Amino acid sequence: MHILIIEDEQQLCRSIAEGLRIDGYEADVCFNGEEGYSLCLSENYDLILLDLNLPGMDGLEILRRFREHNASTPVLILS
């Protein structure tokens, strides 16, 4: 399973990713909204973990735009 974590608190983001990797998941991380949105569109993720308060583009805007292109990938909001 390939997971994207979009979270601006870098230590938290890395900790979540490390825990997922220990459990056998592939996890990519990014720390701002614009990069996160770009990754959402350029990679095929099985799950996206998304923070709401992000620099550049907030999580709700990422979700709104992403859903215009992909309605099936699950997205969990971290807040």
Side-chain angles (χ1 to χ4, degrees):
M1 181 175 261
H2 193 192
I3 300 171
L4 173 61
I5 307 162
I6 307 171
E7 166 63 62
D8 63 328
E9 293 185 34
Q10 293 186 19
Q11 184 59 39
L12 174 61
C13 190
R14 289 186 179 111
S15 294
I16 293 169
E18 181 62 26
L20 289 168
R21 290 178 186 129
I22 287 170
D23 286 338
Y25 298 100
E26 184 178 347
D28 294 342
V29 299
C30 67
F31 310 116
N32 69 68
E34 291 172 356
E35 179 185 2
Y37 178 66
S38 178
L39 284 171
C40 286
L41 297 180
S42 65
E43 297 286 332
N44 187 22
Y45 291 101
D46 299 301
L47 174 67
I48 298 171
L49 301 178
L50 178 62
D51 185 23
L52 292 180
N53 296 317
L54 295 165
M57 182 187 304
D58 71 42
L60 289 178
E61 183 65 16
I62 292 171
L63 182 59
R64 185 188 68 74
R65 290 184 185 187
F66 180 62
R67 285 295 179 227
E68 292 174 0
H69 300 279
N70 181 319
S72 63
T73 300
V75 177
L76 293 176
I77 303 291
L78 302 175
S79 184

